[in-house]
Amino acid sequence: MDDPIGIDVDNEKNLSGLGNDTKVLPVADHEEAHHVALHDVDEAAAFVAGFHGEITEEQSRRVRRKCDMHLLPLMMTLYFVQFTDKTTLGSSSILGIRKDTHLTQSEYNWLGTIFYLAYLVFEWPQTLGLQKFPPGKWMACNILVWAVALCCHAACKNFAGLFVCRFFLGVCEGSITAGFLIVTSMFYTHSEATQRVGYWFLMNGTAQIFNGLVSFGVWHIDPEKFAPWKAYMLITGLITLAVGICFWFFIPDSPMKAHFLTQEEKIIAIERLRGESTGVENKTWKREQFMEALTDWKPWAFMIYAGSNNVANSLTNMTSLIINSFGFTVWQTALLGCVSGAIEILTIYSSVLVIKRFPNARGYVGASYAIPNIISGVLLVALPWTAKAGLLVAVYLGGVGTPGFVLSLSWCAESNAGHTKKTTTNAMLLIGYCLGNLLSPQMWQAKYAPRYYIPWGIILGTYVANPLILLGIRYFLNKENKRRDRLAASGQIQVEKYVDENGDEIDPTFLDITDRKNMAFRYPL
């Protein structure tokens, strides 16, 4: 059969770079050629070695549609499940879990903290596991353990039992966002990845609506026969178990192993990423890339932003209690919680549309969506306790700023090249995320109730800092891009070519080199 992209898809030797019909590329006087071994570069480089064809826009769109059809539904479902699961504590707070397990306010706060403490401690081991082992299978194993731990909540009778269950939830959840960022960057270009991260992250809003409806449903269970919060834990745990099984069988570990792509389509999937400079996969942990990540300002800036942004995320465990304290009944509180979910869906989806129209506006968009957060913080501090409607609106406004963190996830991954560096920077951002979530539950002390001026004041401070950090990141990345443009225009950057053992040129995308070393790299803004 004729091959529409000019390669023999059945010739495994040619595809693996082991064929003999290769050529050494000529190198001009102003260029320098480097010979590299295929096992030292990106896994994708060996897979497409020997390919010299061109792919059309239609072929690229066709493969992207197949990736969307097979990856997005399950990834979105899992992200929906993981947010549902980690917020079960907040939803259960109005369903009787505090009374049945005799929790004090301090113990309840610690159940929120231990989740993120476990997340923090195991984030780095999880990142290493995602690089060393097939990421799809690694995530699936974590999901299955996570599902069992969630179901075990229903058997708990005291703080100690819940503490252990929440600990294991945190351990396992650390693999999901980091793993999703890796898988998304394997299959999509920078602009496409930003949109897909938005798609699976907006499922958090869907989960909030689901939580509200399920909480409302189980609230009608007779507590004398079966505790509503236990039914809620079992429902979410069993759903998670089913999703984990599906994840094991249907999520590929890389484009090279995607069961839904033909051999030709796998090459197209990889070639679509040519020029993206962040690569696909490399199983070798590289110390020099790890050290570069630790000495680069960008990962630290994203880490600080993630920490600051997620101080307000402690509201996931407190919102139901706060709304309930406004004087609403349990069933009204459960349904009112759905509004926050709808707001999150609308804001994230709208931000994705804006980024699609203006690809280099991540910093501006994230900062713009933070403005309603600042208004929210001011209202929550300034309004009298009697202004229940105004306080409720202020709580809802606080959810508008979610797109900033969503954009930072893909922005951080796209701004750091080299597989070890990329996984390290992703881990650093998520460690910041953990720190924000770990420390913030301790703000909600009983002595501050019901007005909580101190927690709301701290949250207002982070609301002001968040857009400034995003704009600062954009400013310095843009400054570096302009510097590299000037050096390239003046001829001070030497053109470098890289060839494998057979003399075939390897695109910088598949070299597994970092953004600092690859001066042709330009940072997304």
Side-chain angles (χ1 to χ4, degrees):
M1 183 177 73
D2 292 336
D3 176 17
I5 60 172
I7 59 173
D8 179 3
V9 296
D10 295 322
N11 186 347
E12 294 184 3
K13 281 190 175 183
N14 189 45
L15 294 179
S16 65
L18 300 177
N20 295 320
D21 58 341
T22 57
K23 59 181 181 179
V24 178
L25 296 172
V27 180
D29 292 337
H30 64 285
E31 298 174 342
E32 182 179 355
H34 302 277
H35 291 268
V36 294
L38 285 172
H39 62 81
D40 288 331
V41 298
D42 197 289
E43 300 283 337
F47 192 86
V48 299
F51 167 67
H52 302 295
E54 296 288 338
I55 63 172
T56 66
E57 183 62 29
E58 175 54 36
Q59 289 169 332
S60 177
R61 284 197 299 267
R62 172 167 55 86
V63 170
R64 185 184 64 206
R65 284 194 296 268
K66 290 191 74 171
C67 292
D68 283 342
M69 184 171 62
H70 288 85
L71 296 177
L72 276 182
L74 192 50
M75 292 177 74
M76 291 172 71
T77 301
L78 179 58
Y79 220 73
F80 159 80
V81 167
Q82 68 93 28
F83 189 83
T84 298
D85 293 351
K86 72 180 179 182
T87 56
T88 48
L89 182 64
S91 299
S92 298
S93 64
I94 58 171
L95 296 175
I97 190 173
R98 298 179 69 183
K99 178 182 177 182
D100 291 352
T101 56
H102 316 291
L103 295 176
T104 65
Q105 180 65 50
S106 176
E107 289 173 338
Y108 181 77
N109 290 344
W110 267 105
L111 292 180
T113 295
I114 190 57
F115 177 92
Y116 288 103
L117 181 59
Y119 193 140
L120 173 67
V121 171
F122 284 87
E123 182 56 42
W124 179 242
Q126 288 280 19
T127 299
L128 287 178
L130 287 165
Q131 181 172 4
K132 290 288 186 181
F133 302 104
K137 300 296 185 291
W138 182 264
M139 283 188 283
C141 290
N142 276 276
I143 298 163
L144 294 173
V145 174
W146 174 5
V148 173
L150 189 60
C151 289
C152 287
H153 278 66
C156 295
K157 300 182 185 303
N158 52 38
F159 169 71
L162 291 172
F163 188 91
V164 172
C165 290
R166 294 285 296 175
F167 174 83
F168 279 103
L169 284 186
V171 170
C172 296
E173 211 250 356
S175 68
I176 303 304
T177 301
F180 272 28
L181 290 172
I182 291 172
V183 171
T184 303
S185 66
M186 285 180 177
F187 286 90
Y188 296 102
T189 64
H190 285 172
S191 60
E192 293 168 355
T194 299
Q195 296 165 35
R196 272 66 188 175
V197 170
Y199 293 151
W200 46 258
F201 206 97
L202 64 79
M203 297 306 292
N204 286 1
T206 309
Q208 290 182 56
I209 296 174
F210 174 82
N211 283 347
L213 296 176
V214 174
S215 296
F216 176 72
V218 300
W219 177 72
H220 291 85
I221 295 175
D222 184 354
E224 296 297 325
K225 297 180 180 178
F226 196 75
W229 67 269
K230 292 184 178 182
Y232 182 74
M233 293 291 184
L234 289 174
I235 290 171
T236 53
L238 292 174
I239 292 174
T240 304
L241 187 64
V243 173
I245 294 171
C246 292
F247 217 79
W248 176 276
F249 289 105
F250 297 118
I251 287 294
D253 297 306
S254 70
M256 295 82 79
K257 298 177 181 178
H259 60 87
F260 54 85
L261 297 177
T262 65
Q263 188 78 351
E264 173 192 336
E265 289 170 339
K266 290 175 183 177
I267 295 173
I268 295 174
I270 295 169
E271 288 293 321
R272 279 178 7 93
L273 305 182
R274 188 175 292 275
E276 294 293 302
S277 301
T278 53
V280 176
E281 183 180 29
N282 190 291
K283 295 298 184 186
T284 304
W285 187 83
K286 299 180 179 178
R287 183 180 182 277
E288 66 276 10
Q289 291 194 14
F290 174 75
M291 295 306 298
E292 182 176 317
L294 296 182
T295 56
D296 193 344
W297 68 268
K298 300 191 305 298
W300 291 103
F302 280 111
M303 178 179 174
I304 292 170
Y305 172 75
S308 174
N309 183 271
N310 282 281
V311 167
N313 207 33
S314 58
L315 291 172
T316 55
N317 289 334
M318 294 300 301
T319 298
S320 294
L321 294 175
I322 291 170
I323 294 177
N324 188 232
S325 71
F326 290 164
F328 295 103
T329 64
V330 172
W331 70 267
Q332 288 173 331
T333 300
L335 293 178
L336 285 171
C338 298
V339 178
S340 297
I343 290 172
E344 185 164 341
I345 292 172
L346 292 173
T347 53
I348 293 177
Y349 185 68
S350 62
S351 70
V352 166
L353 294 180
V354 174
I355 290 298
K356 186 176 181 180
R357 178 69 178 83
F358 304 102
N360 276 322
R362 294 168 178 81
Y364 294 144
V365 173
S368 298
Y369 276 84
I371 295 173
N373 282 23
I374 298 174
I375 297 173
S376 166
V378 171
L379 291 175
L380 286 163
V381 171
L383 286 177
W385 185 242
T386 53
K388 305 298 184 184
L391 290 170
L392 183 60
V393 170
V395 169
Y396 290 148
L397 277 177
V400 176
T402 306
F405 180 66
V406 177
L407 295 174
S408 74
L409 289 172
S410 57
W411 196 6
C412 179
E414 295 162 12
S415 299
N416 295 278
H419 201 72
T420 299
K421 183 179 182 182
K422 182 165 61 176
T423 55
T424 302
T425 54
N426 287 345
M428 291 173 69
L429 182 148
L430 292 172
I431 286 172
Y433 164 82
C434 289
L435 288 172
N437 282 287
L438 184 154
L439 298 174
S440 56
Q442 302 303 318
M443 302 186 304
W444 303 95
Q445 298 180 28
K447 63 182 179 181
Y448 299 138
R451 200 56 185 86
Y452 293 111
Y453 278 117
I454 298 299
W456 286 122
I458 295 172
I459 288 175
L460 174 58
T462 63
Y463 282 163
V464 173
N466 294 337
L468 297 178
I469 298 173
L470 287 178
L471 293 174
I473 292 172
R474 189 190 191 283
Y475 172 80
F476 286 107
L477 289 182
N478 189 40
K479 184 178 180 180
E480 176 61 17
N481 283 347
K482 290 180 178 179
R483 185 184 76 88
R484 295 187 178 197
D485 289 342
R486 287 194 302 270
L487 291 175
S490 63
Q492 296 182 54
I493 297 179
Q494 187 176 31
V495 178
E496 295 181 318
K497 289 183 178 292
Y498 296 82
V499 294
D500 61 25
E501 299 98 321
N502 303 305
D504 283 307
E505 184 179 5
I506 303 175
D507 189 270
T509 299
F510 309 126
L511 284 172
D512 195 38
I513 59 175
T514 64
D515 53 285
R516 272 188 176 179
K517 293 181 179 179
N518 179 13
M519 294 301 288
F521 187 94
R522 294 297 181 271
Y523 296 100
L525 304 174

